Amino acid sequence: MHKKGELGEQISVFMFLFLMFVIGVGIVIGVFIFFGQGYDFREVEANLLNYKIGECIKENEITEGFFEKENFFEKCKLNKETIGGNNIIRICSGVEDCIGAEKSLLDVGSNFQACGFEGAKKNEAYPLCAINEFSKGEKKFEIITGSKQFARRNLG
Amino acid sequence: MLFSNVSYLVLLIIFFAGILYFVMQQQEGAGVWEDYYAKEIVKIIDFSNVGDNICLDVHRATEIAQKNNVNSFSEIFGIDNAGNEVCVKLSKGRKTCFSYFNKVDVVNVDLKLGEGKDESGRDVNLLCFNIVEKQQEGGENA
């Protein structure tokens, strides 16, 4: 008789916790629906970086060591650490398919194939990319840039 | 029986405290606006060149921060030259940060109250700063 009473009480604990869970999830979903998804900046950032690199190549004389990483970041006034963590860059010249090319002038980061996947655009794990082609003198350049940076919420 | 009721009550209080904390964080859409302002400021820094003097309308951000009791204006916008990072704080407890790739330093960060005008002629608060050549040893500027 006593045990039956305990069973009823245990069931009500689960019901209580379940109700709290449902209310909590409802409030969280409601807030996110109300405010919408965050502002996805990745494509803008990839385009900005692509533009900056394009301008840098156009404005500078392309010497032999221009595309060596240290020299390139210094000449183009780009922050190596930030780009290494948040962006990808590939610069090609004279190749058909820069995304799949085995040889490039400069590679920062990896997984350039993701820039060619249509389905990757909705996947937050992949970078969003910008691809641009231009000529300087007789040389044709192709620049692929991508961004995988999201805002960070820190305590403070 | 009494023990059972007390434990329900404790659980309920913890639950509502958690929900209240979450809702307070979202008050006035602070999280969304922090994200927006951090990214817009980064966009301008990334696009800028050495020697540029920039002023942005940040009126909405300052209004939200005041409503959420972030009273010190220097707390709202933080630009860290050493870490190449912009942080925006519009509610107590948390801030949203985003990195810029342009190799420059941002100096003279100043919040000018009521010195700008929007399209309707209303006074707005401006965030002004200068872009200078990257120094070897960066520092916090706001």
Side-chain angles (χ1 to χ4, degrees):
Chain A
M1 184 136 171
H2 220 74
K3 281 190 173 172
K4 274 186 185 171
E6 275 176 22
L7 183 68
E9 204 167 290
Q10 279 171 4
I11 290 171
S12 70
V13 170
F14 281 114
M15 274 308 288
F16 177 74
L17 291 174
F18 178 70
L19 272 176
M20 284 208 302
F21 176 76
V22 170
I23 293 169
V25 169
I27 289 173
V28 172
I29 289 174
V31 166
F32 280 113
I33 288 173
F34 183 76
F35 289 117
Q37 273 195 329
Y39 165 26
D40 194 346
F41 189 68
R42 291 175 300 160
E43 197 168 354
V44 176
E45 195 183 18
N47 276 307
L48 256 172
L49 183 58
N50 202 305
Y51 171 79
K52 279 261 169 187
I53 294 171
E55 289 301 298
C56 175
I57 293 173
K58 284 174 199 169
E59 283 167 11
N60 284 286
E61 193 188 338
I62 309 299
T63 53
E64 203 177 311
F66 182 82
F67 290 106
E68 277 170 21
K69 275 185 190 168
E70 290 295 331
N71 193 28
F72 174 79
F73 282 114
E74 196 52 49
K75 282 251 158 77
C76 293
K77 304 260 179 242
L78 298 171
N79 188 287
K80 194 180 164 193
E81 286 74 33
T82 309
I83 288 181
N86 302 322
N87 304 94
I88 56 171
I89 303 172
R90 172 169 275 186
I91 304 172
C92 305
S93 181
V95 292
E96 281 274 304
D97 171 29
C98 188
I99 289 176
E102 285 186 6
K103 251 186 140 186
S104 60
L105 296 171
L106 177 80
D107 268 354
V108 179
S110 57
N111 196 17
F112 295 96
Q113 280 75 14
C115 295
F117 296 158
E118 240 348 271
K121 286 183 180 171
K122 285 184 182 169
N123 189 334
E124 292 191 348
Y126 288 126
L128 281 187
C129 304
I131 301 172
N132 186 28
E133 276 182 66
F134 66 93
S135 299
K136 185 181 181 186
E138 286 176 3
K139 269 197 159 182
K140 245 185 154 185
F141 290 96
E142 186 168 352
I143 304 169
I144 300 171
T145 52
S147 167
K148 49 191 174 183
Q149 184 179 196
F150 286 97
R152 298 171 293 282
R153 291 274 282 165
N154 301 337
L155 287 174
Chain B
M1 189 67 182
L2 179 69
F3 178 75
S4 161
N5 284 342
V6 169
S7 57
Y8 274 128
L9 205 65
V10 169
L11 274 174
L12 207 65
I13 289 168
I14 293 170
F15 172 73
F16 277 110
I19 290 291
L20 198 70
Y21 177 76
F22 174 74
V23 172
M24 293 289 272
Q25 286 281 311
Q26 305 296 327
Q27 217 176 15
E28 298 284 329
V32 177
W33 284 104
E34 278 176 9
D35 186 61
Y36 170 79
Y37 276 104
K39 286 169 180 172
E40 283 298 307
I41 294 169
V42 163
K43 183 161 83 180
I44 286 168
I45 295 172
D46 279 340
F47 202 65
S48 63
N49 293 308
V50 169
D52 288 352
N53 300 320
I54 294 159
C55 281
L56 301 168
D57 175 356
V58 291
H59 197 79
R60 183 84 182 104
T62 52
E63 277 180 343
I64 295 166
Q66 269 205 320
K67 280 180 189 166
N68 289 336
N69 297 319
V70 183
N71 292 320
S72 154
F73 286 119
S74 60
E75 247 186 293
I76 304 173
F77 300 101
I79 300 177
D80 175 16
N81 288 320
N84 270 44
E85 194 176 59
V86 174
C87 291
V88 181
K89 180 178 174 178
L90 302 182
S91 65
K92 286 202 163 175
R94 279 185 179 268
K95 58 185 179 181
T96 300
C97 299
F98 207 76
S99 301
Y100 55 90
F101 58 71
N102 203 359
K103 200 173 182 181
V104 292
D105 272 354
V106 180
V107 296
N108 302 329
V109 181
D110 189 19
L111 195 63
K112 295 183 174 174
L113 302 177
E115 287 191 27
K117 295 263 181 219
D118 67 4
E119 294 116 7
S120 59
R122 194 175 59 122
D123 289 344
V124 293
N125 300 332
L126 299 176
L127 177 74
C128 296
F129 51 83
N130 304 331
I131 304 290
V132 296
E133 198 88 45
K134 184 90 184 161
Q135 304 298 307
Q136 283 304 312
E137 292 157 32
E140 186 98 9
N141 262 295

